[in-house]
Coordinates of all heavy atoms in Angstrom, one line a residue:
M121 N 38.4 -48.5 -78.7 CA 37.6 -49.4 -79.5 C 36.3 -48.7 -79.8 O 35.5 -48.4 -78.8 CB 37.4 -50.7 -78.8 CG 36.7 -51.8 -79.6 SD 37.1 -53.4 -79.0 CE 35.6 -54.0 -78.6
P122 N 35.9 -48.5 -81.0 CA 34.7 -47.8 -81.3 C 33.5 -48.7 -81.1 O 33.5 -49.9 -81.3 CB 34.8 -47.4 -82.8 CG 35.8 -48.4 -83.4 CD 36.7 -48.7 -82.2
G123 N 32.4 -48.1 -80.7 CA 31.2 -48.9 -80.4 C 30.3 -48.9 -81.7 O 30.6 -48.2 -82.7
I124 N 29.1 -49.5 -81.6 CA 28.2 -49.5 -82.7 C 27.4 -48.2 -82.6 O 26.9 -47.8 -81.5 CB 27.3 -50.7 -82.6 CG1 28.1 -52.0 -82.7 CG2 26.2 -50.7 -83.7 CD1 27.3 -53.2 -82.4
D125 N 27.2 -47.5 -83.7 CA 26.5 -46.3 -83.8 C 25.1 -46.5 -83.3 O 24.4 -47.4 -83.7 CB 26.5 -45.7 -85.2 CG 25.9 -44.4 -85.3 OD1 25.8 -43.6 -84.3 OD2 25.5 -44.0 -86.5
K126 N 24.6 -45.5 -82.5 CA 23.2 -45.6 -81.9 C 22.1 -45.7 -83.0 O 21.1 -46.3 -82.9 CB 22.9 -44.5 -81.0 CG 23.6 -44.7 -79.6 CD 23.1 -43.6 -78.7 CE 23.8 -43.9 -77.3 NZ 22.8 -43.8 -76.3
H127 N 22.4 -45.0 -84.1 CA 21.5 -45.0 -85.3 C 21.3 -46.4 -85.8 O 20.2 -46.8 -86.2 CB 22.0 -44.0 -86.3 CG 21.1 -43.9 -87.5 ND1 19.9 -43.4 -87.5 CD2 21.3 -44.3 -88.8 CE1 19.3 -43.5 -88.7 NE2 20.2 -44.0 -89.5
I128 N 22.4 -47.1 -85.9 CA 22.4 -48.5 -86.4 C 21.6 -49.4 -85.5 O 20.8 -50.2 -85.9 CB 23.8 -49.0 -86.7 CG1 24.6 -48.2 -87.6 CG2 23.7 -50.5 -87.1 CD1 24.0 -48.2 -89.0
I129 N 21.8 -49.2 -84.2 CA 21.1 -50.0 -83.2 C 19.6 -49.8 -83.3 O 18.8 -50.7 -83.2 CB 21.6 -49.7 -81.8 CG1 23.1 -50.2 -81.7 CG2 20.8 -50.4 -80.7 CD1 23.8 -49.7 -80.4
E130 N 19.2 -48.5 -83.4 CA 17.8 -48.2 -83.5 C 17.2 -48.8 -84.8 O 16.0 -49.2 -84.8 CB 17.6 -46.6 -83.5 CG 17.9 -46.0 -82.2 CD 17.8 -44.5 -82.2 OE1 17.4 -43.9 -83.3 OE2 18.2 -43.9 -81.2
K131 N 17.9 -48.8 -85.9 CA 17.4 -49.3 -87.1 C 17.2 -50.8 -87.0 O 16.2 -51.4 -87.5 CB 18.3 -49.1 -88.3 CG 18.3 -47.6 -88.8 CD 19.3 -47.4 -89.9 CE 18.7 -47.9 -91.2 NZ 19.5 -47.5 -92.4
V132 N 18.1 -51.5 -86.3 CA 18.0 -53.0 -86.1 C 16.8 -53.2 -85.2 O 15.9 -54.1 -85.5 CB 19.3 -53.6 -85.5 CG1 19.0 -55.0 -85.1 CG2 20.4 -53.5 -86.6
T133 N 16.7 -52.5 -84.1 CA 15.6 -52.7 -83.2 C 14.2 -52.4 -83.8 O 13.3 -53.1 -83.6 CB 15.7 -51.8 -82.0 OG1 17.0 -52.1 -81.3 CG2 14.7 -52.0 -80.9
D134 N 14.1 -51.4 -84.7 CA 12.9 -51.1 -85.3 C 12.5 -52.1 -86.4 O 11.3 -52.4 -86.6 CB 13.0 -49.7 -86.0 CG 13.0 -48.5 -85.0 OD1 12.6 -48.7 -83.9 OD2 13.4 -47.4 -85.5
A135 N 13.5 -52.7 -87.0 CA 13.2 -53.8 -88.0 C 12.9 -55.1 -87.4 O 12.2 -55.9 -88.0 CB 14.4 -53.9 -89.0
A136 N 13.4 -55.4 -86.2 CA 13.2 -56.7 -85.6 C 11.9 -56.8 -84.9 O 11.5 -55.9 -84.2 CB 14.3 -57.0 -84.6
R137 N 11.1 -57.8 -85.2 CA 9.8 -58.0 -84.5 C 10.0 -59.0 -83.3 O 10.5 -60.1 -83.5 CB 8.8 -58.6 -85.5 CG 8.5 -57.5 -86.6 CD 7.5 -58.0 -87.6 NE 6.4 -58.7 -86.9 CZ 5.5 -59.5 -87.6 NH1 5.6 -59.6 -88.9 NH2 4.6 -60.1 -86.9
I138 N 9.7 -58.6 -82.1 CA 10.0 -59.3 -80.9 C 9.3 -60.7 -81.0 O 9.9 -61.7 -80.6 CB 9.5 -58.6 -79.6 CG1 9.9 -59.3 -78.4 CG2 8.0 -58.3 -79.6 CD1 11.4 -59.3 -78.1
E139 N 8.1 -60.8 -81.5 CA 7.4 -62.1 -81.6 C 8.1 -63.1 -82.5 O 8.1 -64.3 -82.2 CB 5.9 -61.9 -81.9 CG 5.6 -61.4 -83.3 CD 5.6 -59.9 -83.4 OE1 6.1 -59.2 -82.6 OE2 4.9 -59.4 -84.4
D140 N 8.7 -62.6 -83.6 CA 9.4 -63.5 -84.5 C 10.7 -64.0 -83.8 O 11.1 -65.2 -84.0 CB 9.8 -62.7 -85.8 CG 8.6 -62.5 -86.6 OD1 7.5 -63.1 -86.4 OD2 8.7 -61.5 -87.5
I141 N 11.4 -63.1 -83.1 CA 12.7 -63.5 -82.4 C 12.4 -64.5 -81.3 O 13.0 -65.6 -81.2 CB 13.4 -62.3 -81.9 CG1 13.9 -61.5 -83.1 CG2 14.5 -62.7 -81.0 CD1 14.5 -60.2 -82.8
V142 N 11.4 -64.3 -80.5 CA 11.0 -65.2 -79.4 C 10.5 -66.5 -80.0 O 10.9 -67.6 -79.5 CB 10.0 -64.6 -78.5 CG1 9.5 -65.6 -77.4 CG2 10.5 -63.3 -77.8
L143 N 9.8 -66.5 -81.1 CA 9.3 -67.7 -81.7 C 10.4 -68.5 -82.3 O 10.4 -69.7 -82.1 CB 8.3 -67.3 -82.8 CG 7.6 -68.5 -83.5 CD1 6.8 -69.3 -82.5 CD2 6.7 -68.0 -84.7
D144 N 11.4 -67.9 -82.9 CA 12.6 -68.6 -83.4 C 13.3 -69.3 -82.2 O 13.9 -70.4 -82.4 CB 13.5 -67.7 -84.1 CG 13.0 -67.3 -85.5 OD1 12.1 -68.0 -86.0 OD2 13.5 -66.4 -86.1
C145 N 13.4 -68.6 -81.1 CA 14.2 -69.2 -80.0 C 13.4 -70.2 -79.2 O 14.0 -71.2 -78.8 CB 14.6 -68.0 -79.0 SG 15.8 -66.9 -79.7
L146 N 12.1 -70.0 -79.0 CA 11.3 -70.9 -78.1 C 10.5 -71.9 -78.9 O 10.0 -72.9 -78.4 CB 10.4 -70.1 -77.2 CG 11.1 -69.1 -76.3 CD1 10.0 -68.4 -75.4 CD2 12.1 -69.8 -75.4
G147 N 10.1 -71.6 -80.1 CA 9.2 -72.4 -80.9 C 7.8 -72.1 -80.6 O 7.5 -71.3 -79.7
S148 N 6.9 -72.6 -81.4 CA 5.5 -72.4 -81.1 C 4.9 -73.4 -80.2 O 5.4 -74.5 -80.0 CB 4.7 -72.4 -82.5 OG 4.8 -73.6 -83.1
Y149 N 3.8 -73.0 -79.5 CA 3.2 -73.9 -78.5 C 2.5 -75.1 -79.2 O 1.8 -75.0 -80.2 CB 2.1 -73.1 -77.8 CG 1.3 -74.0 -76.8 CD1 1.9 -74.3 -75.6 CD2 0.1 -74.4 -77.2 CE1 1.2 -75.1 -74.7 CE2 -0.6 -75.2 -76.3 CZ -0.1 -75.5 -75.0 OH -0.8 -76.3 -74.2
D150 N 2.8 -76.3 -78.7 CA 2.2 -77.5 -79.1 C 2.1 -78.4 -77.8 O 3.2 -78.7 -77.3 CB 2.9 -78.2 -80.2 CG 2.2 -79.4 -80.7 OD1 1.4 -80.0 -80.0 OD2 2.5 -79.8 -81.9
P151 N 0.9 -78.7 -77.3 CA 0.9 -79.4 -76.1 C 1.6 -80.8 -76.1 O 2.0 -81.3 -75.1 CB -0.6 -79.6 -75.8 CG -1.3 -79.3 -77.1 CD -0.4 -78.4 -77.9
R152 N 1.7 -81.4 -77.3 CA 2.4 -82.7 -77.3 C 3.9 -82.6 -77.5 O 4.6 -83.4 -76.9 CB 1.8 -83.5 -78.5 CG 0.3 -83.9 -78.4 CD -0.2 -84.3 -79.6 NE -0.1 -83.2 -80.6 CZ -0.5 -83.2 -81.8 NH1 -0.9 -84.2 -82.4 NH2 -0.3 -82.1 -82.5
T153 N 4.4 -81.7 -78.3 CA 5.8 -81.6 -78.6 C 6.5 -80.4 -77.9 O 7.7 -80.5 -77.7 CB 6.0 -81.6 -80.1 OG1 5.4 -80.4 -80.6 CG2 5.5 -82.8 -80.7
N154 N 5.8 -79.3 -77.7 CA 6.5 -78.1 -77.2 C 5.6 -77.4 -76.3 O 5.1 -76.3 -76.6 CB 7.1 -77.2 -78.3 CG 8.0 -76.1 -77.7 OD1 8.4 -76.2 -76.6 ND2 8.2 -75.2 -78.6
P155 N 5.3 -77.9 -75.1 CA 4.3 -77.2 -74.2 C 4.9 -75.9 -73.6 O 4.1 -75.1 -73.0 CB 4.0 -78.2 -73.1 CG 5.2 -79.1 -73.1 CD 5.7 -79.1 -74.5
T156 N 6.1 -75.6 -73.8 CA 6.7 -74.3 -73.3 C 6.8 -73.2 -74.3 O 7.3 -72.1 -74.0 CB 8.1 -74.6 -72.7 OG1 9.0 -75.0 -73.8 CG2 8.1 -75.6 -71.6
G157 N 6.4 -73.5 -75.5 CA 6.5 -72.5 -76.6 C 5.6 -71.3 -76.5 O 4.7 -71.2 -75.6
L158 N 5.7 -70.5 -77.5 CA 5.0 -69.2 -77.6 C 3.6 -69.5 -78.1 O 3.4 -70.2 -79.1 CB 5.7 -68.3 -78.5 CG 5.3 -66.8 -78.5 CD1 5.6 -66.2 -77.1 CD2 6.1 -66.1 -79.6
R159 N 2.6 -68.9 -77.4 CA 1.2 -69.1 -77.7 C 0.5 -67.7 -77.8 O 0.7 -66.9 -76.9 CB 0.6 -70.1 -76.8 CG -0.6 -69.6 -76.1 CD -1.3 -70.5 -75.1 NE -0.6 -71.6 -74.5 CZ -1.1 -72.5 -73.7 NH1 -2.4 -72.5 -73.4 NH2 -0.4 -73.4 -73.2
K160 N -0.3 -67.6 -78.8 CA -1.1 -66.3 -78.9 C -2.3 -66.3 -78.0 O -3.0 -67.2 -77.9 CB -1.5 -66.1 -80.4 CG -2.1 -64.8 -80.6 CD -2.1 -64.4 -82.1 CE -2.8 -63.1 -82.4 NZ -2.2 -62.0 -81.9
K161 N -2.4 -65.2 -77.2 CA -3.5 -64.9 -76.3 C -4.0 -63.5 -76.6 O -3.5 -62.6 -76.0 CB -3.1 -65.1 -74.9 CG -2.7 -66.5 -74.5 CD -3.5 -67.0 -73.4 CE -3.1 -68.4 -73.1 NZ -3.4 -68.8 -71.8
G162 N -5.0 -63.4 -77.4 CA -5.5 -62.0 -77.8 C -4.5 -61.3 -78.6 O -4.0 -61.8 -79.6
V163 N -4.1 -60.1 -78.1 CA -3.1 -59.3 -78.9 C -1.7 -59.5 -78.4 O -0.8 -59.0 -78.9 CB -3.5 -57.8 -78.8 CG1 -4.8 -57.4 -79.4 CG2 -3.4 -57.3 -77.3
R164 N -1.6 -60.4 -77.4 CA -0.3 -60.7 -76.8 C 0.1 -62.1 -77.0 O -0.7 -62.9 -77.5 CB -0.3 -60.4 -75.3 CG -0.5 -59.0 -74.9 CD -0.6 -58.9 -73.4 NE -2.0 -58.8 -73.1 CZ -2.5 -58.4 -72.0 NH1 -1.7 -58.0 -71.0 NH2 -3.8 -58.4 -71.8
Y165 N 1.3 -62.5 -76.6 CA 1.8 -63.9 -76.7 C 2.3 -64.2 -75.3 O 2.8 -63.4 -74.6 CB 2.9 -64.1 -77.7 CG 2.5 -63.9 -79.1 CD1 2.5 -62.6 -79.7 CD2 2.2 -65.0 -79.9 CE1 2.1 -62.4 -81.0 CE2 1.9 -64.8 -81.2 CZ 1.8 -63.5 -81.8 OH 1.5 -63.4 -83.1
T166 N 2.1 -65.5 -74.9 CA 2.6 -65.9 -73.6 C 3.5 -67.2 -73.8 O 3.3 -67.9 -74.8 CB 1.5 -66.3 -72.6 OG1 0.7 -67.4 -73.1 CG2 0.6 -65.1 -72.4
A167 N 4.3 -67.4 -72.8 CA 5.2 -68.6 -72.9 C 5.7 -68.9 -71.5 O 5.5 -68.0 -70.6 CB 6.3 -68.5 -73.8
I168 N 6.3 -70.0 -71.3 CA 7.0 -70.3 -70.0 C 8.4 -69.5 -70.2 O 9.1 -69.6 -71.2 CB 7.2 -71.8 -69.8 CG1 5.8 -72.3 -69.5 CG2 8.1 -72.0 -68.7 CD1 5.8 -73.8 -69.3
C169 N 8.7 -68.8 -69.1 CA 9.9 -67.9 -69.2 C 11.2 -68.8 -69.4 O 11.4 -69.7 -68.6 CB 10.0 -67.1 -67.9 SG 11.4 -65.9 -68.0
P170 N 12.0 -68.4 -70.4 CA 13.3 -69.1 -70.6 C 14.4 -68.6 -69.7 O 15.5 -69.2 -69.7 CB 13.6 -68.8 -72.1 CG 13.0 -67.4 -72.3 CD 11.7 -67.4 -71.4
F171 N 14.2 -67.6 -68.8 CA 15.2 -67.1 -68.1 C 15.3 -67.5 -66.6 O 16.2 -67.2 -65.9 CB 15.2 -65.5 -68.1 CG 15.2 -65.0 -69.5 CD1 14.2 -64.2 -70.0 CD2 16.3 -65.3 -70.3 CE1 14.2 -63.7 -71.3 CE2 16.4 -64.8 -71.6 CZ 15.3 -64.0 -72.1
H172 N 14.3 -68.3 -66.2 CA 14.4 -68.9 -64.9 C 13.6 -70.2 -64.9 O 12.9 -70.5 -65.8 CB 13.8 -67.9 -63.8 CG 12.3 -67.7 -63.9 ND1 11.7 -66.8 -64.8 CD2 11.3 -68.3 -63.2 CE1 10.4 -66.9 -64.6 NE2 10.1 -67.7 -63.7
D173 N 13.7 -71.0 -63.8 CA 13.0 -72.3 -63.7 C 11.5 -72.0 -63.5 O 11.1 -71.7 -62.4 CB 13.6 -73.1 -62.6 CG 13.0 -74.5 -62.5 OD1 12.5 -75.0 -63.6 OD2 13.1 -75.1 -61.5
D174 N 10.8 -72.0 -64.5 CA 9.4 -71.6 -64.5 C 8.5 -72.8 -64.8 O 8.8 -73.6 -65.7 CB 9.2 -70.5 -65.5 CG 7.8 -69.8 -65.3 OD1 7.1 -70.1 -64.3 OD2 7.5 -69.0 -66.2
R175 N 7.3 -72.9 -64.2 CA 6.3 -73.9 -64.5 C 5.0 -73.2 -64.8 O 4.0 -73.9 -64.9 CB 6.2 -74.9 -63.3 CG 7.5 -75.6 -63.0 CD 7.8 -76.6 -64.1 NE 9.0 -77.3 -63.8 CZ 10.1 -77.2 -64.6 NH1 10.1 -76.5 -65.7 NH2 11.2 -77.9 -64.2
H176 N 4.9 -71.9 -64.8 CA 3.7 -71.2 -64.9 C 3.6 -70.5 -66.2 O 4.3 -69.5 -66.5 CB 3.5 -70.2 -63.8 CG 3.7 -70.8 -62.4 ND1 2.8 -71.6 -61.9 CD2 4.7 -70.6 -61.5 CE1 3.2 -72.0 -60.7 NE2 4.4 -71.4 -60.5
D177 N 2.7 -71.0 -67.1 CA 2.5 -70.3 -68.4 C 1.7 -69.0 -68.1 O 0.7 -69.0 -67.3 CB 1.6 -71.2 -69.3 CG 1.5 -70.7 -70.7 OD1 2.3 -69.8 -71.1 OD2 0.5 -71.0 -71.3
G178 N 2.1 -68.0 -68.7 CA 1.4 -66.7 -68.6 C 2.2 -65.6 -67.9 O 1.8 -64.5 -67.9
C179 N 3.3 -66.0 -67.2 CA 4.1 -64.9 -66.6 C 5.0 -64.2 -67.5 O 5.5 -63.1 -67.3 CB 4.8 -65.4 -65.3 SG 6.1 -66.6 -65.7
F180 N 5.4 -64.9 -68.6 CA 6.3 -64.4 -69.7 C 5.4 -63.9 -70.8 O 4.7 -64.7 -71.4 CB 7.3 -65.4 -70.1 CG 8.2 -64.9 -71.2 CD1 9.3 -64.2 -70.8 CD2 8.0 -65.1 -72.5 CE1 10.2 -63.7 -71.7 CE2 8.9 -64.6 -73.5 CZ 10.0 -63.9 -73.1
I181 N 5.3 -62.6 -71.0 CA 4.4 -62.0 -72.0 C 5.2 -61.2 -73.1 O 6.1 -60.5 -72.7 CB 3.4 -61.1 -71.3 CG1 2.6 -62.0 -70.3 CG2 2.5 -60.5 -72.4 CD1 1.6 -61.2 -69.5
V182 N 4.8 -61.4 -74.3 CA 5.4 -60.7 -75.4 C 4.3 -59.7 -76.0 O 3.2 -60.1 -76.2 CB 5.8 -61.7 -76.5 CG1 6.3 -60.9 -77.8 CG2 6.9 -62.6 -76.0
Y183 N 4.7 -58.5 -76.1 CA 3.8 -57.4 -76.5 C 4.2 -57.0 -77.9 O 5.1 -56.1 -78.0 CB 3.9 -56.2 -75.6 CG 3.5 -56.5 -74.2 CD1 4.5 -56.8 -73.2 CD2 2.2 -56.6 -73.7 CE1 4.2 -57.1 -71.9 CE2 1.8 -56.8 -72.4 CZ 2.8 -57.1 -71.5 OH 2.5 -57.4 -70.2
P184 N 3.6 -57.5 -79.0 CA 4.1 -57.1 -80.3 C 3.9 -55.6 -80.6 O 4.7 -55.0 -81.3 CB 3.1 -57.9 -81.3 CG 2.7 -59.0 -80.4 CD 2.6 -58.5 -79.0
K185 N 2.8 -55.0 -80.1 CA 2.5 -53.6 -80.3 C 3.7 -52.7 -79.8 O 4.1 -51.7 -80.5 CB 1.2 -53.2 -79.7 CG 0.8 -51.7 -80.0 CD -0.5 -51.4 -79.3 CE -0.8 -49.9 -79.5 NZ -2.0 -49.5 -78.8
D186 N 4.2 -53.0 -78.7 CA 5.3 -52.3 -78.1 C 6.7 -52.8 -78.4 O 7.7 -52.3 -78.0 CB 5.1 -52.2 -76.5 CG 3.8 -51.5 -76.2 OD1 3.4 -50.5 -76.8 OD2 3.2 -51.9 -75.2
N187 N 6.7 -54.0 -79.1 CA 7.9 -54.6 -79.5 C 8.8 -54.9 -78.3 O 10.0 -54.7 -78.3 CB 8.7 -53.8 -80.5 CG 9.6 -54.6 -81.4 OD1 9.3 -55.8 -81.7 ND2 10.6 -54.1 -81.9
C188 N 8.2 -55.5 -77.2 CA 9.0 -55.8 -76.0 C 8.4 -57.1 -75.4 O 7.4 -57.6 -75.8 CB 8.9 -54.7 -75.1 SG 7.3 -54.3 -74.4
Y189 N 9.1 -57.6 -74.3 CA 8.7 -58.7 -73.6 C 8.9 -58.4 -72.1 O 9.6 -57.5 -71.7 CB 9.5 -60.0 -73.9 CG 11.0 -59.9 -73.5 CD1 11.3 -60.4 -72.2 CD2 11.9 -59.3 -74.2 CE1 12.6 -60.3 -71.8 CE2 13.2 -59.2 -73.8 CZ 13.6 -59.7 -72.6 OH 14.9 -59.6 -72.1
R190 N 8.2 -59.2 -71.2 CA 8.4 -59.0 -69.8 C 8.0 -60.3 -69.1 O 7.0 -61.0 -69.4 CB 7.5 -57.9 -69.3 CG 7.7 -57.7 -67.8 CD 7.1 -56.5 -67.3 NE 7.4 -56.5 -65.8 CZ 7.2 -55.4 -65.1 NH1 6.7 -54.3 -65.6 NH2 7.4 -55.5 -63.8
C191 N 8.8 -60.7 -68.1 CA 8.4 -61.8 -67.2 C 8.0 -61.2 -65.8 O 8.8 -60.5 -65.2 CB 9.6 -62.8 -67.0 SG 9.1 -64.1 -65.8
F192 N 6.8 -61.5 -65.4 CA 6.4 -60.9 -64.1 C 6.8 -61.7 -62.9 O 6.6 -61.3 -61.8 CB 4.8 -60.8 -64.2 CG 4.3 -59.8 -65.1 CD1 4.0 -60.1 -66.4 CD2 4.3 -58.4 -64.7 CE1 3.6 -59.1 -67.3 CE2 3.9 -57.5 -65.6 CZ 3.5 -57.8 -66.9
T193 N 7.6 -62.8 -63.1 CA 8.1 -63.5 -62.0 C 9.6 -63.1 -61.8 O 10.0 -62.7 -60.6 CB 8.1 -65.0 -62.3 OG1 6.7 -65.4 -62.5 CG2 8.6 -65.8 -61.1
C194 N 10.4 -63.2 -62.8 CA 11.9 -62.9 -62.6 C 12.2 -61.5 -62.9 O 13.3 -61.0 -62.6 CB 12.7 -63.9 -63.4 SG 12.7 -63.7 -65.1
G195 N 11.3 -60.7 -63.6 CA 11.6 -59.3 -63.9 C 12.3 -59.1 -65.2 O 12.7 -58.0 -65.5
A196 N 12.6 -60.2 -66.0 CA 13.3 -60.0 -67.3 C 12.4 -59.1 -68.2 O 11.2 -59.4 -68.2 CB 13.6 -61.3 -67.9
K197 N 13.0 -58.2 -68.9 CA 12.2 -57.4 -69.8 C 13.2 -56.7 -70.8 O 14.4 -56.6 -70.6 CB 11.4 -56.3 -69.0 CG 12.3 -55.3 -68.3 CD 11.4 -54.3 -67.5 CE 12.3 -53.4 -66.7 NZ 11.5 -52.4 -65.9
G198 N 12.6 -56.2 -71.9 CA 13.4 -55.5 -72.9 C 12.8 -55.7 -74.3 O 11.6 -56.1 -74.4
G199 N 13.6 -55.4 -75.3 CA 13.2 -55.5 -76.6 C 13.8 -56.6 -77.4 O 14.4 -57.5 -76.7
P200 N 13.8 -56.6 -78.7 CA 14.3 -57.8 -79.4 C 15.8 -58.0 -79.2 O 16.2 -59.1 -79.0 CB 14.1 -57.4 -80.9 CG 13.0 -56.3 -80.9 CD 13.1 -55.7 -79.5
V201 N 16.6 -56.9 -79.2 CA 18.0 -57.1 -79.0 C 18.3 -57.6 -77.6 O 19.1 -58.5 -77.4 CB 18.8 -55.7 -79.2 CG1 20.2 -55.9 -78.9 CG2 18.6 -55.3 -80.7
Q202 N 17.7 -57.1 -76.6 CA 17.9 -57.6 -75.2 C 17.5 -59.0 -75.0 O 18.2 -59.8 -74.3 CB 17.1 -56.7 -74.2 CG 17.7 -55.3 -74.1 CD 17.1 -54.4 -75.1 OE1 16.2 -54.7 -75.9 NE2 17.7 -53.2 -75.2
F203 N 16.4 -59.4 -75.7 CA 15.9 -60.8 -75.5 C 17.0 -61.7 -76.1 O 17.4 -62.7 -75.5 CB 14.6 -61.1 -76.2 CG 14.2 -62.5 -76.2 CD1 13.5 -63.0 -75.1 CD2 14.5 -63.4 -77.2 CE1 13.2 -64.3 -75.0 CE2 14.1 -64.7 -77.1 CZ 13.5 -65.2 -76.0
L204 N 17.4 -61.4 -77.3 CA 18.4 -62.3 -78.0 C 19.7 -62.3 -77.2 O 20.3 -63.4 -77.1 CB 18.7 -61.8 -79.4 CG 19.3 -62.7 -80.4 CD1 18.6 -64.0 -80.5 CD2 19.5 -62.1 -81.7
M205 N 20.2 -61.2 -76.7 CA 21.4 -61.2 -75.9 C 21.3 -62.0 -74.6 O 22.2 -62.8 -74.3 CB 21.8 -59.7 -75.5 CG 22.2 -58.9 -76.7 SD 22.5 -57.2 -76.3 CE 23.7 -57.3 -74.9
A206 N 20.1 -61.9 -73.9 CA 19.9 -62.7 -72.7 C 19.7 -64.2 -73.0 O 20.3 -65.0 -72.3 CB 18.7 -62.2 -72.0
H207 N 19.0 -64.5 -74.0 CA 18.7 -65.9 -74.4 C 19.9 -66.6 -74.8 O 20.2 -67.8 -74.5 CB 17.6 -66.0 -75.4 CG 17.1 -67.4 -75.6 ND1 17.6 -68.2 -76.7 CD2 16.2 -68.2 -75.0 CE1 17.0 -69.4 -76.6 NE2 16.2 -69.4 -75.6
E208 N 20.7 -66.0 -75.7 CA 21.9 -66.6 -76.2 C 23.2 -66.3 -75.4 O 24.3 -66.7 -75.8 CB 22.1 -66.1 -77.7 CG 21.0 -66.4 -78.6 CD 20.7 -67.9 -78.8 OE1 21.7 -68.7 -78.8 OE2 19.6 -68.3 -78.8
R209 N 23.0 -65.6 -74.3 CA 24.1 -65.2 -73.4 C 25.2 -64.5 -74.2 O 26.4 -64.9 -74.1 CB 24.7 -66.4 -72.7 CG 23.6 -67.0 -71.7 CD 24.2 -68.2 -71.0 NE 23.3 -68.7 -70.0 CZ 22.5 -69.8 -70.2 NH1 22.6 -70.4 -71.4 NH2 21.7 -70.2 -69.3
L210 N 24.8 -63.4 -74.9 CA 25.7 -62.6 -75.7 C 26.0 -61.3 -75.0 O 25.1 -60.8 -74.3 CB 25.1 -62.4 -77.1 CG 24.8 -63.6 -77.9 CD1 24.1 -63.2 -79.2 CD2 26.1 -64.3 -78.3
S211 N 27.1 -60.7 -75.2 CA 27.4 -59.4 -74.8 C 27.3 -58.4 -76.0 O 27.4 -58.9 -77.1 CB 28.8 -59.3 -74.1 OG 29.8 -59.6 -75.0
F212 N 27.2 -57.2 -75.7 CA 27.1 -56.2 -76.8 C 28.4 -55.9 -77.4 O 29.4 -55.7 -77.2 CB 26.4 -54.9 -76.3 CG 25.6 -54.3 -77.3 CD1 24.3 -54.7 -77.6 CD2 26.1 -53.2 -78.0 CE1 23.6 -54.1 -78.6 CE2 25.4 -52.6 -79.0 CZ 24.1 -53.0 -79.3

């Protein structure tokens, strides 16, 4: 069974913006309706981590410049494709 060409994967990863994908999945921060959503903090974004039972805002950080995310509590990290795969429980 042939896999997806690495060139195609790189094109998709380069075109996808991590902050847009996370925003679509988690929504934007609103203290009344969505306190777990993505919120801008300087050049980064923070949210409550969707990959573990988290109550601490700030441990899940999205870095638009590097097009990646990281949770400093559970260790989840990666780019746009990895986030979408983990969040939606998809395999490659």
Side-chain angles (χ1 to χ4, degrees):
M121 184 157 121
I124 300 172
D125 185 21
K126 286 189 177 227
H127 179 68
I128 301 297
I129 295 170
E130 288 175 8
K131 285 178 83 172
V132 169
T133 302
D134 290 343
R137 293 179 44 193
I138 187 71
E139 65 272 24
D140 291 339
I141 292 173
V142 175
L143 185 61
D144 284 347
C145 292
L146 303 182
S148 61
Y149 175 81
D150 185 336
R152 295 166 297 178
T153 60
N154 190 13
T156 64
L158 195 63
R159 125 179 24 185
K160 187 160 177 62
K161 295 236 178 159
V163 297
R164 297 176 261 198
Y165 293 84
T166 64
I168 292 179
C169 183
F171 302 120
H172 71 278
D173 186 23
D174 190 12
R175 300 287 179 244
H176 307 289
D177 186 24
C179 69
F180 182 81
I181 300 176
V182 175
Y183 302 96
K185 182 179 177 185
D186 298 324
N187 207 28
C188 66
Y189 70 94
R190 179 168 183 171
C191 176
F192 289 95
T193 301
C194 72
K197 62 182 177 180
V201 173
Q202 291 83 10
F203 178 84
L204 198 55
M205 288 172 59
H207 188 266
E208 301 297 321
R209 295 184 176 98
L210 300 171
S211 63
F212 210 79

